[in-house]
Amino acid sequence: SVLMVSVALIFLSVLFLVLGRQIEVVNNVPRRDTSGNILDIHDGNTLLIDGTYYYYGASYDLCKEPPGPNGCADVGVNTCGFNTNHNVSLYTSTDLQTWTFRGYVFEMMKNPTKGILFCPKILHNKSTQQYVLWYNWIPDTGDFSISLYGIAVSPSPSGPFKVVTDNVSTLAFRDTGDFALFQDDDGKGYIIYTSHIVGYPITHRMSVERLSDDYLGSMGSSANSGFFGSSFVEAPTMFKRNNIYYALFGQCCCYCGQGSAVTVHTSTSPLGPWQTKNIISSDIPAQQTNVLRFRSGSKDDSYLWQGDRWQSAPDGLKGHDFTYWGLLNFTSDGGIMPLHWQDKFAINVYP
């Protein structure tokens, strides 16, 4: 009867809340949404909001990738990987396995200033109740030495996001590239970013900087860690576990199929000093994009490393490039153990 079905559904919902759900993470086939389409989502991050995971990332459309191991073989405005029609996609899920496409929350073509979008990251500012999107972009003039950060906001995690600035000018260092955002337990926000890209004796340096209270800028050199780790690095991410801060990034890798080995750095403060530790992904053919924190128990959190597998799409279409997900395992003193390729593995996910 209808009543029995309703009772069964309620029971299953309660069981999920209490026991969670075991899912299988699969890396050797493309991830698909509930409509059967391959997830076109890269360079992004994930927020957990009221039991639902909001997965944001750049959509690169279905352009044909250049052949060979390097997707940067033909760099130029409106070549594949450098089109001006990149968008910020949103997918949602309660279990990290079943993903529903919610549309584009930000469309670069509708931006008054046209350009090439990369690396969208979103945080929720609890004080202003705004969702804040930072993105890296290059103007469509063709001068790839100009790399900027823009910021857009929305009162809803589903967007649309409206630009408040297309050129963040408060950072301690100029000539910026890849970055990630991090929110500490006290609500303070931070950006970890690559700078000094072109024209410096030592290029592609990494630092961490505190954001302004509204996340619409940064606090500049007064709240910057200074450069740390190796040079010629990009694709950073940052997270915190058991009062240890982690900054992970790897060697520059322009849409490279072989991936980039990631080095771990740790600190007891988000602004350092940072200590260089070990390499964790030397045998994973992917470039890091994010570390996803998820609920793996009623009171426990676990961490999934995510990387883009450039040049991996079987049909050669950029938006169909695979992503690799790997479960991070930690030593008793807070170190991260090396990742090794897994076609598939199981995890428990709680809402």
Side-chain angles (χ1 to χ4, degrees), residues 25 237-241 246-248 262 264 278-281 284 288 290-294 296 301-307 324-331 334-340 342 345-347:
V25 175
T237 195
M238 186 173 169
F239 67 97
K240 180 181 181 182
R241 176 183 178 270
Y246 296 83
L248 280 59
V262 168
V264 177
N278 58 312
I279 294 174
I280 62 167
S281 64
I284 306 294
Q288 175 177 270
N290 184 47
V291 169
L292 190 163
R293 180 178 178 176
F294 70 97
S296 57
D301 287 339
S302 293
Y303 300 81
L304 280 173
W305 184 87
Q306 297 175 300
Y324 182 87
W325 294 13
L327 185 66
L328 292 182
N329 292 297
F330 297 83
T331 61
I336 303 179
M337 299 174 67
L339 288 162
H340 299 287
Q342 290 180 286
F345 58 91
I347 59 174

mmCIF file of all heavy atoms in Angstrom, residues 25 237-241 246-248 262 264 278-281 284 288 290-294 296 301-307 324-331 334-340 342 345-347:
data_model
loop_
_atom_site.group_PDB
_atom_site.id
_atom_site.type_symbol
_atom_site.label_atom_id
_atom_site.label_comp_id
_atom_site.label_asym_id
_atom_site.label_seq_id
_atom_site.Cartn_x
_atom_site.Cartn_y
_atom_site.Cartn_z
ATOM 1 N N VAL A 25 33.744 4.343 -5.074
ATOM 2 C CA VAL A 25 34.409 5.369 -5.864
ATOM 3 C C VAL A 25 35.117 4.672 -7.024
ATOM 4 O O VAL A 25 35.956 3.798 -6.804
ATOM 5 C CB VAL A 25 35.415 6.160 -5.014
ATOM 6 C CG1 VAL A 25 36.188 7.155 -5.875
ATOM 7 C CG2 VAL A 25 34.698 6.876 -3.871
ATOM 8 N N THR A 237 46.038 23.276 -2.853
ATOM 9 C CA THR A 237 44.837 23.165 -2.033
ATOM 10 C C THR A 237 45.276 23.214 -0.573
ATOM 11 O O THR A 237 46.452 23.007 -0.259
ATOM 12 C CB THR A 237 44.043 21.884 -2.324
ATOM 13 O OG1 THR A 237 42.731 22.001 -1.757
ATOM 14 C CG2 THR A 237 44.715 20.648 -1.759
ATOM 15 N N MET A 238 44.307 23.485 0.305
ATOM 16 C CA MET A 238 44.628 23.686 1.715
ATOM 17 C C MET A 238 43.485 23.145 2.557
ATOM 18 O O MET A 238 42.310 23.328 2.215
ATOM 19 C CB MET A 238 44.843 25.187 1.962
ATOM 20 C CG MET A 238 45.317 25.572 3.341
ATOM 21 S SD MET A 238 45.712 27.364 3.382
ATOM 22 C CE MET A 238 45.893 27.596 5.143
ATOM 23 N N PHE A 239 43.808 22.475 3.653
ATOM 24 C CA PHE A 239 42.780 21.993 4.565
ATOM 25 C C PHE A 239 43.363 21.842 5.956
ATOM 26 O O PHE A 239 44.574 22.025 6.173
ATOM 27 C CB PHE A 239 42.168 20.670 4.069
ATOM 28 C CG PHE A 239 43.096 19.491 4.068
ATOM 29 C CD1 PHE A 239 43.105 18.586 5.130
ATOM 30 C CD2 PHE A 239 43.950 19.258 2.996
ATOM 31 C CE1 PHE A 239 43.952 17.488 5.134
ATOM 32 C CE2 PHE A 239 44.807 18.157 2.984
ATOM 33 C CZ PHE A 239 44.805 17.270 4.060
ATOM 34 N N LYS A 240 42.519 21.514 6.918
ATOM 35 C CA LYS A 240 42.926 21.396 8.311
ATOM 36 C C LYS A 240 42.387 20.097 8.875
ATOM 37 O O LYS A 240 41.243 19.716 8.611
ATOM 38 C CB LYS A 240 42.380 22.587 9.113
ATOM 39 C CG LYS A 240 42.719 22.600 10.597
ATOM 40 C CD LYS A 240 42.072 23.829 11.249
ATOM 41 C CE LYS A 240 42.380 23.937 12.717
ATOM 42 N NZ LYS A 240 41.702 25.120 13.325
ATOM 43 N N ARG A 241 43.213 19.423 9.675
ATOM 44 C CA ARG A 241 42.795 18.188 10.337
ATOM 45 C C ARG A 241 43.512 18.092 11.681
ATOM 46 O O ARG A 241 44.737 18.191 11.729
ATOM 47 C CB ARG A 241 43.125 16.963 9.472
ATOM 48 C CG ARG A 241 42.805 15.624 10.122
ATOM 49 C CD ARG A 241 43.223 14.477 9.220
ATOM 50 N NE ARG A 241 42.967 13.172 9.834
ATOM 51 C CZ ARG A 241 43.845 12.515 10.603
ATOM 52 N NH1 ARG A 241 45.026 13.070 10.879
ATOM 53 N NH2 ARG A 241 43.532 11.340 11.106
ATOM 54 N N TYR A 246 47.335 21.869 6.345
ATOM 55 C CA TYR A 246 48.017 21.210 5.243
ATOM 56 C C TYR A 246 47.938 22.095 3.992
ATOM 57 O O TYR A 246 46.863 22.596 3.649
ATOM 58 C CB TYR A 246 47.368 19.863 4.923
ATOM 59 C CG TYR A 246 47.469 18.850 6.045
ATOM 60 C CD1 TYR A 246 46.559 18.855 7.105
ATOM 61 C CD2 TYR A 246 48.477 17.881 6.044
ATOM 62 C CE1 TYR A 246 46.648 17.925 8.137
ATOM 63 C CE2 TYR A 246 48.569 16.956 7.074
ATOM 64 C CZ TYR A 246 47.654 16.986 8.117
ATOM 65 O OH TYR A 246 47.753 16.068 9.134
ATOM 66 N N ALA A 247 49.065 22.262 3.333
ATOM 67 C CA ALA A 247 49.125 22.933 2.038
ATOM 68 C C ALA A 247 49.761 21.961 1.053
ATOM 69 O O ALA A 247 50.897 21.516 1.265
ATOM 70 C CB ALA A 247 49.941 24.221 2.123
ATOM 71 N N LEU A 248 49.022 21.613 0.017
ATOM 72 C CA LEU A 248 49.482 20.633 -0.970
ATOM 73 C C LEU A 248 49.561 21.307 -2.330
ATOM 74 O O LEU A 248 48.616 22.000 -2.740
ATOM 75 C CB LEU A 248 48.522 19.445 -1.053
ATOM 76 C CG LEU A 248 48.587 18.332 0.006
ATOM 77 C CD1 LEU A 248 48.339 18.876 1.411
ATOM 78 C CD2 LEU A 248 47.562 17.243 -0.308
ATOM 79 N N VAL A 262 52.537 15.695 -6.061
ATOM 80 C CA VAL A 262 52.128 16.683 -5.064
ATOM 81 C C VAL A 262 52.963 16.543 -3.803
ATOM 82 O O VAL A 262 53.149 15.434 -3.283
ATOM 83 C CB VAL A 262 50.629 16.517 -4.735
ATOM 84 C CG1 VAL A 262 50.242 17.318 -3.499
ATOM 85 C CG2 VAL A 262 49.787 16.936 -5.921
ATOM 86 N N VAL A 264 53.502 17.642 0.245
ATOM 87 C CA VAL A 264 52.751 18.047 1.430
ATOM 88 C C VAL A 264 53.569 19.040 2.248
ATOM 89 O O VAL A 264 54.778 18.860 2.441
ATOM 90 C CB VAL A 264 52.415 16.821 2.309
ATOM 91 C CG1 VAL A 264 51.702 17.254 3.590
ATOM 92 C CG2 VAL A 264 51.575 15.823 1.533
ATOM 93 N N ASN A 278 56.464 15.155 2.587
ATOM 94 C CA ASN A 278 56.708 14.137 1.566
ATOM 95 C C ASN A 278 55.869 14.357 0.315
ATOM 96 O O ASN A 278 54.948 15.171 0.283
ATOM 97 C CB ASN A 278 56.389 12.751 2.142
ATOM 98 C CG ASN A 278 54.949 12.658 2.639
ATOM 99 O OD1 ASN A 278 54.473 13.529 3.370
ATOM 100 N ND2 ASN A 278 54.248 11.605 2.246
ATOM 101 N N ILE A 279 56.205 13.618 -0.727
ATOM 102 C CA ILE A 279 55.422 13.580 -1.966
ATOM 103 C C ILE A 279 54.398 12.463 -1.846
ATOM 104 O O ILE A 279 54.713 11.361 -1.398
ATOM 105 C CB ILE A 279 56.335 13.357 -3.183
ATOM 106 C CG1 ILE A 279 57.260 14.568 -3.379
ATOM 107 C CG2 ILE A 279 55.510 13.112 -4.444
ATOM 108 C CD1 ILE A 279 58.293 14.374 -4.467
ATOM 109 N N ILE A 280 53.146 12.731 -2.252
ATOM 110 C CA ILE A 280 52.094 11.723 -2.034
ATOM 111 C C ILE A 280 51.464 11.158 -3.300
ATOM 112 O O ILE A 280 50.718 10.186 -3.225
ATOM 113 C CB ILE A 280 50.960 12.276 -1.149
ATOM 114 C CG1 ILE A 280 50.266 13.472 -1.820
ATOM 115 C CG2 ILE A 280 51.483 12.620 0.232
ATOM 116 C CD1 ILE A 280 48.972 13.857 -1.148
ATOM 117 N N SER A 281 51.752 11.738 -4.472
ATOM 118 C CA SER A 281 50.987 11.273 -5.651
ATOM 119 C C SER A 281 51.859 11.057 -6.868
ATOM 120 O O SER A 281 51.444 11.334 -7.992
ATOM 121 C CB SER A 281 49.889 12.291 -5.989
ATOM 122 O OG SER A 281 50.469 13.532 -6.382
ATOM 123 N N ILE A 284 50.232 8.793 -9.639
ATOM 124 C CA ILE A 284 48.863 9.072 -10.072
ATOM 125 C C ILE A 284 48.917 10.038 -11.253
ATOM 126 O O ILE A 284 49.389 11.164 -11.105
ATOM 127 C CB ILE A 284 48.026 9.705 -8.933
ATOM 128 C CG1 ILE A 284 48.079 8.845 -7.680
ATOM 129 C CG2 ILE A 284 46.588 9.914 -9.400
ATOM 130 C CD1 ILE A 284 47.422 7.503 -7.798
ATOM 131 N N GLN A 288 46.445 17.790 -9.202
ATOM 132 C CA GLN A 288 45.581 18.077 -8.065
ATOM 133 C C GLN A 288 44.629 19.239 -8.339
ATOM 134 O O GLN A 288 44.997 20.240 -8.957
ATOM 135 C CB GLN A 288 46.449 18.425 -6.857
ATOM 136 C CG GLN A 288 45.672 18.865 -5.626
ATOM 137 C CD GLN A 288 46.573 19.126 -4.461
ATOM 138 O OE1 GLN A 288 46.849 18.223 -3.683
ATOM 139 N NE2 GLN A 288 47.072 20.357 -4.339
ATOM 140 N N ASN A 290 41.713 19.519 -5.651
ATOM 141 C CA ASN A 290 40.999 19.777 -4.406
ATOM 142 C C ASN A 290 41.216 18.614 -3.442
ATOM 143 O O ASN A 290 41.550 17.504 -3.848
ATOM 144 C CB ASN A 290 39.498 19.917 -4.703
ATOM 145 C CG ASN A 290 38.673 20.290 -3.491
ATOM 146 O OD1 ASN A 290 39.025 21.198 -2.750
ATOM 147 N ND2 ASN A 290 37.578 19.589 -3.265
ATOM 148 N N VAL A 291 41.044 18.889 -2.153
ATOM 149 C CA VAL A 291 40.868 17.843 -1.152
ATOM 150 C C VAL A 291 39.483 18.023 -0.564
ATOM 151 O O VAL A 291 39.163 19.070 0.003
ATOM 152 C CB VAL A 291 41.943 17.904 -0.051
ATOM 153 C CG1 VAL A 291 41.569 16.969 1.101
ATOM 154 C CG2 VAL A 291 43.303 17.506 -0.618
ATOM 155 N N LEU A 292 38.645 17.016 -0.741
ATOM 156 C CA LEU A 292 37.238 17.068 -0.353
ATOM 157 C C LEU A 292 37.079 16.456 1.039
ATOM 158 O O LEU A 292 37.368 15.282 1.241
ATOM 159 C CB LEU A 292 36.391 16.323 -1.378
ATOM 160 C CG LEU A 292 34.872 16.421 -1.312
ATOM 161 C CD1 LEU A 292 34.265 15.958 -2.639
ATOM 162 C CD2 LEU A 292 34.254 15.611 -0.182
ATOM 163 N N ARG A 293 36.620 17.252 1.974
ATOM 164 C CA ARG A 293 36.334 16.772 3.326
ATOM 165 C C ARG A 293 34.895 16.273 3.368
ATOM 166 O O ARG A 293 33.976 16.987 2.969
ATOM 167 C CB ARG A 293 36.529 17.911 4.326
ATOM 168 C CG ARG A 293 36.257 17.554 5.778
ATOM 169 C CD ARG A 293 36.547 18.763 6.663
ATOM 170 N NE ARG A 293 36.248 18.497 8.062
ATOM 171 C CZ ARG A 293 36.493 19.371 9.050
ATOM 172 N NH1 ARG A 293 37.030 20.554 8.766
ATOM 173 N NH2 ARG A 293 36.201 19.060 10.297
ATOM 174 N N PHE A 294 34.704 15.038 3.820
ATOM 175 C CA PHE A 294 33.360 14.478 3.862
ATOM 176 C C PHE A 294 33.131 13.748 5.174
ATOM 177 O O PHE A 294 34.071 13.341 5.858
ATOM 178 C CB PHE A 294 33.105 13.552 2.664
ATOM 179 C CG PHE A 294 33.874 12.255 2.698
ATOM 180 C CD1 PHE A 294 33.279 11.090 3.165
ATOM 181 C CD2 PHE A 294 35.182 12.190 2.248
ATOM 182 C CE1 PHE A 294 33.976 9.885 3.196
ATOM 183 C CE2 PHE A 294 35.893 11.000 2.268
ATOM 184 C CZ PHE A 294 35.282 9.843 2.745
ATOM 185 N N SER A 296 32.432 10.685 7.211
ATOM 186 C CA SER A 296 32.569 9.242 7.036
ATOM 187 C C SER A 296 32.040 8.469 8.228
ATOM 188 O O SER A 296 32.141 7.250 8.282
ATOM 189 C CB SER A 296 34.037 8.886 6.807
ATOM 190 O OG SER A 296 34.834 9.354 7.893
ATOM 191 N N ASP A 301 35.268 12.697 10.132
ATOM 192 C CA ASP A 301 35.472 13.226 8.791
ATOM 193 C C ASP A 301 36.625 12.483 8.133
ATOM 194 O O ASP A 301 37.579 12.068 8.802
ATOM 195 C CB ASP A 301 35.803 14.718 8.823
ATOM 196 C CG ASP A 301 34.601 15.575 9.171
ATOM 197 O OD1 ASP A 301 33.461 15.101 9.001
ATOM 198 O OD2 ASP A 301 34.798 16.727 9.603
ATOM 199 N N SER A 302 36.526 12.346 6.813
ATOM 200 C CA SER A 302 37.620 11.794 6.015
ATOM 201 C C SER A 302 37.879 12.749 4.859
ATOM 202 O O SER A 302 37.138 13.719 4.647
ATOM 203 C CB SER A 302 37.281 10.393 5.511
ATOM 204 O OG SER A 302 37.202 9.481 6.584
ATOM 205 N N TYR A 303 38.935 12.444 4.073
ATOM 206 C CA TYR A 303 39.393 13.395 3.067
ATOM 207 C C TYR A 303 39.687 12.658 1.753
ATOM 208 O O TYR A 303 40.445 11.694 1.739
ATOM 209 C CB TYR A 303 40.641 14.127 3.557
ATOM 210 C CG TYR A 303 40.399 14.905 4.834
ATOM 211 C CD1 TYR A 303 40.408 14.262 6.076
ATOM 212 C CD2 TYR A 303 40.133 16.273 4.800
ATOM 213 C CE1 TYR A 303 40.163 14.964 7.252
ATOM 214 C CE2 TYR A 303 39.889 16.976 5.972
ATOM 215 C CZ TYR A 303 39.901 16.320 7.187
ATOM 216 O OH TYR A 303 39.649 17.011 8.351
ATOM 217 N N LEU A 304 39.091 13.154 0.683
ATOM 218 C CA LEU A 304 39.319 12.617 -0.656
ATOM 219 C C LEU A 304 40.201 13.569 -1.449
ATOM 220 O O LEU A 304 39.877 14.761 -1.591
ATOM 221 C CB LEU A 304 37.994 12.419 -1.401
ATOM 222 C CG LEU A 304 37.165 11.183 -1.092
ATOM 223 C CD1 LEU A 304 35.814 11.278 -1.803
ATOM 224 C CD2 LEU A 304 37.880 9.908 -1.523
ATOM 225 N N TRP A 305 41.316 13.058 -1.948
ATOM 226 C CA TRP A 305 42.159 13.832 -2.855
ATOM 227 C C TRP A 305 41.557 13.751 -4.254
ATOM 228 O O TRP A 305 41.165 12.676 -4.713
ATOM 229 C CB TRP A 305 43.572 13.260 -2.851
ATOM 230 C CG TRP A 305 44.563 14.037 -3.670
ATOM 231 C CD1 TRP A 305 45.303 15.099 -3.268
ATOM 232 C CD2 TRP A 305 44.934 13.790 -5.038
ATOM 233 N NE1 TRP A 305 46.121 15.545 -4.282
ATOM 234 C CE2 TRP A 305 45.906 14.761 -5.380
ATOM 235 C CE3 TRP A 305 44.534 12.859 -6.003
ATOM 236 C CZ2 TRP A 305 46.493 14.809 -6.647
ATOM 237 C CZ3 TRP A 305 45.110 12.913 -7.260
ATOM 238 C CH2 TRP A 305 46.086 13.869 -7.573
ATOM 239 N N GLN A 306 41.452 14.892 -4.946
ATOM 240 C CA GLN A 306 40.862 14.928 -6.284
ATOM 241 C C GLN A 306 41.854 15.544 -7.267
ATOM 242 O O GLN A 306 42.493 16.564 -6.970
ATOM 243 C CB GLN A 306 39.576 15.760 -6.280
ATOM 244 C CG GLN A 306 38.477 15.174 -5.402
ATOM 245 C CD GLN A 306 37.265 16.087 -5.321
ATOM 246 O OE1 GLN A 306 37.365 17.223 -4.874
ATOM 247 N NE2 GLN A 306 36.118 15.597 -5.748
ATOM 248 N N GLY A 307 41.981 14.922 -8.422
ATOM 249 C CA GLY A 307 42.873 15.437 -9.449
ATOM 250 C C GLY A 307 42.271 15.300 -10.831
ATOM 251 O O GLY A 307 41.486 14.379 -11.109
ATOM 252 N N TYR A 324 40.425 11.847 -10.965
ATOM 253 C CA TYR A 324 40.829 10.769 -10.062
ATOM 254 C C TYR A 324 40.531 11.180 -8.634
ATOM 255 O O TYR A 324 40.851 12.298 -8.211
ATOM 256 C CB TYR A 324 42.323 10.459 -10.209
ATOM 257 C CG TYR A 324 42.749 9.304 -9.320
ATOM 258 C CD1 TYR A 324 42.643 7.995 -9.760
ATOM 259 C CD2 TYR A 324 43.224 9.525 -8.029
ATOM 260 C CE1 TYR A 324 42.998 6.935 -8.942
ATOM 261 C CE2 TYR A 324 43.582 8.474 -7.202
ATOM 262 C CZ TYR A 324 43.458 7.176 -7.669
ATOM 263 O OH TYR A 324 43.802 6.126 -6.855
ATOM 264 N N TRP A 325 39.922 10.263 -7.869
ATOM 265 C CA TRP A 325 39.656 10.476 -6.446
ATOM 266 C C TRP A 325 40.399 9.407 -5.654
ATOM 267 O O TRP A 325 40.321 8.216 -5.971
ATOM 268 C CB TRP A 325 38.164 10.374 -6.137
ATOM 269 C CG TRP A 325 37.309 11.446 -6.744
ATOM 270 C CD1 TRP A 325 37.655 12.337 -7.708
ATOM 271 C CD2 TRP A 325 35.937 11.722 -6.425
ATOM 272 N NE1 TRP A 325 36.606 13.158 -8.014
ATOM 273 C CE2 TRP A 325 35.533 12.798 -7.243
ATOM 274 C CE3 TRP A 325 35.031 11.159 -5.537
ATOM 275 C CZ2 TRP A 325 34.236 13.324 -7.188
ATOM 276 C CZ3 TRP A 325 33.746 11.685 -5.489
ATOM 277 C CH2 TRP A 325 33.366 12.759 -6.300
ATOM 278 N N GLY A 326 41.123 9.835 -4.628
ATOM 279 C CA GLY A 326 41.840 8.893 -3.772
ATOM 280 C C GLY A 326 41.639 9.243 -2.306
ATOM 281 O O GLY A 326 41.662 10.419 -1.932
ATOM 282 N N LEU A 327 41.449 8.241 -1.478
ATOM 283 C CA LEU A 327 41.238 8.452 -0.049
ATOM 284 C C LEU A 327 42.578 8.720 0.641
ATOM 285 O O LEU A 327 43.512 7.931 0.516
ATOM 286 C CB LEU A 327 40.565 7.235 0.574
ATOM 287 C CG LEU A 327 40.178 7.354 2.053
ATOM 288 C CD1 LEU A 327 39.090 8.399 2.244
ATOM 289 C CD2 LEU A 327 39.705 5.990 2.578
ATOM 290 N N LEU A 328 42.673 9.843 1.369
ATOM 291 C CA LEU A 328 43.888 10.156 2.098
ATOM 292 C C LEU A 328 43.934 9.378 3.404
ATOM 293 O O LEU A 328 42.951 9.336 4.151
ATOM 294 C CB LEU A 328 43.971 11.658 2.391
ATOM 295 C CG LEU A 328 44.173 12.588 1.196
ATOM 296 C CD1 LEU A 328 44.278 14.037 1.652
ATOM 297 C CD2 LEU A 328 45.406 12.193 0.387
ATOM 298 N N ASN A 329 45.075 8.768 3.682
ATOM 299 C CA ASN A 329 45.313 8.074 4.939
ATOM 300 C C ASN A 329 46.427 8.786 5.689
ATOM 301 O O ASN A 329 47.426 9.221 5.090
ATOM 302 C CB ASN A 329 45.689 6.617 4.690
ATOM 303 C CG ASN A 329 44.526 5.819 4.120
ATOM 304 O OD1 ASN A 329 43.505 5.661 4.777
ATOM 305 N ND2 ASN A 329 44.672 5.329 2.896
ATOM 306 N N PHE A 330 46.270 8.904 7.010
ATOM 307 C CA PHE A 330 47.169 9.702 7.823
ATOM 308 C C PHE A 330 47.933 8.835 8.819
ATOM 309 O O PHE A 330 47.402 7.845 9.331
ATOM 310 C CB PHE A 330 46.376 10.778 8.571
ATOM 311 C CG PHE A 330 45.704 11.770 7.671
ATOM 312 C CD1 PHE A 330 44.471 11.497 7.096
ATOM 313 C CD2 PHE A 330 46.306 12.985 7.387
ATOM 314 C CE1 PHE A 330 43.840 12.404 6.257
ATOM 315 C CE2 PHE A 330 45.695 13.909 6.553
ATOM 316 C CZ PHE A 330 44.462 13.619 5.993
ATOM 317 N N THR A 331 49.158 9.235 9.098
ATOM 318 C CA THR A 331 49.957 8.561 10.123
ATOM 319 C C THR A 331 49.570 9.100 11.504
ATOM 320 O O THR A 331 48.852 10.105 11.620
ATOM 321 C CB THR A 331 51.453 8.794 9.886
ATOM 322 O OG1 THR A 331 51.726 10.203 9.954
ATOM 323 C CG2 THR A 331 51.867 8.273 8.517
ATOM 324 N N GLY A 334 50.182 12.738 12.093
ATOM 325 C CA GLY A 334 49.556 13.691 11.197
ATOM 326 C C GLY A 334 50.115 13.736 9.795
ATOM 327 O O GLY A 334 49.687 14.558 8.984
ATOM 328 N N GLY A 335 51.060 12.889 9.467
ATOM 329 C CA GLY A 335 51.577 12.838 8.108
ATOM 330 C C GLY A 335 50.572 12.211 7.155
ATOM 331 O O GLY A 335 49.646 11.516 7.563
ATOM 332 N N ILE A 336 50.739 12.470 5.869
ATOM 333 C CA ILE A 336 49.872 11.882 4.840
ATOM 334 C C ILE A 336 50.634 10.785 4.120
ATOM 335 O O ILE A 336 51.750 11.000 3.627
ATOM 336 C CB ILE A 336 49.386 12.935 3.832
ATOM 337 C CG1 ILE A 336 48.643 14.066 4.542
ATOM 338 C CG2 ILE A 336 48.483 12.288 2.780
ATOM 339 C CD1 ILE A 336 48.158 15.164 3.611
ATOM 340 N N MET A 337 50.038 9.618 4.046
ATOM 341 C CA MET A 337 50.675 8.489 3.380
ATOM 342 C C MET A 337 50.545 8.634 1.864
ATOM 343 O O MET A 337 49.580 9.220 1.367
ATOM 344 C CB MET A 337 50.028 7.184 3.860
ATOM 345 C CG MET A 337 50.191 6.956 5.369
ATOM 346 S SD MET A 337 49.289 5.510 5.971
ATOM 347 C CE MET A 337 50.209 4.203 5.139
ATOM 348 N N PRO A 338 51.514 8.120 1.096
ATOM 349 C CA PRO A 338 51.455 8.226 -0.366
ATOM 350 C C PRO A 338 50.210 7.559 -0.944
ATOM 351 O O PRO A 338 49.745 6.527 -0.448
ATOM 352 C CB PRO A 338 52.734 7.501 -0.821
ATOM 353 C CG PRO A 338 53.654 7.598 0.347
ATOM 354 C CD PRO A 338 52.779 7.509 1.560
ATOM 355 N N LEU A 339 49.694 8.178 -1.984
ATOM 356 C CA LEU A 339 48.566 7.614 -2.724
ATOM 357 C C LEU A 339 49.074 6.611 -3.756
ATOM 358 O O LEU A 339 50.150 6.788 -4.332
ATOM 359 C CB LEU A 339 47.796 8.716 -3.449
ATOM 360 C CG LEU A 339 46.949 9.663 -2.611
ATOM 361 C CD1 LEU A 339 46.631 10.931 -3.405
ATOM 362 C CD2 LEU A 339 45.661 8.985 -2.176
ATOM 363 N N HIS A 340 48.286 5.579 -3.994
ATOM 364 C CA HIS A 340 48.582 4.618 -5.047
ATOM 365 C C HIS A 340 47.312 4.392 -5.849
ATOM 366 O O HIS A 340 46.207 4.404 -5.299
ATOM 367 C CB HIS A 340 49.095 3.298 -4.458
ATOM 368 C CG HIS A 340 50.364 3.458 -3.680
ATOM 369 N ND1 HIS A 340 51.589 3.686 -4.278
ATOM 370 C CD2 HIS A 340 50.607 3.438 -2.337
ATOM 371 C CE1 HIS A 340 52.526 3.806 -3.353
ATOM 372 N NE2 HIS A 340 51.958 3.653 -2.164
ATOM 373 N N GLN A 342 44.092 3.298 -7.576
ATOM 374 C CA GLN A 342 43.043 2.316 -7.339
ATOM 375 C C GLN A 342 41.950 2.516 -8.383
ATOM 376 O O GLN A 342 41.434 3.630 -8.536
ATOM 377 C CB GLN A 342 42.436 2.478 -5.938
ATOM 378 C CG GLN A 342 43.352 2.093 -4.789
ATOM 379 C CD GLN A 342 42.677 2.289 -3.445
ATOM 380 O OE1 GLN A 342 42.502 3.408 -2.980
ATOM 381 N NE2 GLN A 342 42.276 1.193 -2.820
ATOM 382 N N PHE A 345 37.282 1.779 -4.993
ATOM 383 C CA PHE A 345 37.352 1.476 -3.565
ATOM 384 C C PHE A 345 36.050 1.952 -2.914
ATOM 385 O O PHE A 345 35.298 2.750 -3.483
ATOM 386 C CB PHE A 345 38.565 2.140 -2.905
ATOM 387 C CG PHE A 345 38.614 3.646 -3.035
ATOM 388 C CD1 PHE A 345 38.051 4.471 -2.063
ATOM 389 C CD2 PHE A 345 39.230 4.240 -4.138
ATOM 390 C CE1 PHE A 345 38.098 5.849 -2.196
ATOM 391 C CE2 PHE A 345 39.280 5.612 -4.278
ATOM 392 C CZ PHE A 345 38.712 6.412 -3.295
ATOM 393 N N ALA A 346 35.777 1.448 -1.723
ATOM 394 C CA ALA A 346 34.530 1.762 -1.030
ATOM 395 C C ALA A 346 34.777 2.732 0.121
ATOM 396 O O ALA A 346 35.815 2.680 0.787
ATOM 397 C CB ALA A 346 33.890 0.479 -0.488
ATOM 398 N N ILE A 347 33.816 3.633 0.333
ATOM 399 C CA ILE A 347 33.843 4.539 1.475
ATOM 400 C C ILE A 347 32.432 4.633 2.052
ATOM 401 O O ILE A 347 31.442 4.365 1.359
ATOM 402 C CB ILE A 347 34.337 5.952 1.107
ATOM 403 C CG1 ILE A 347 33.444 6.579 0.018
ATOM 404 C CG2 ILE A 347 35.787 5.932 0.701
ATOM 405 C CD1 ILE A 347 33.787 8.030 -0.284
#
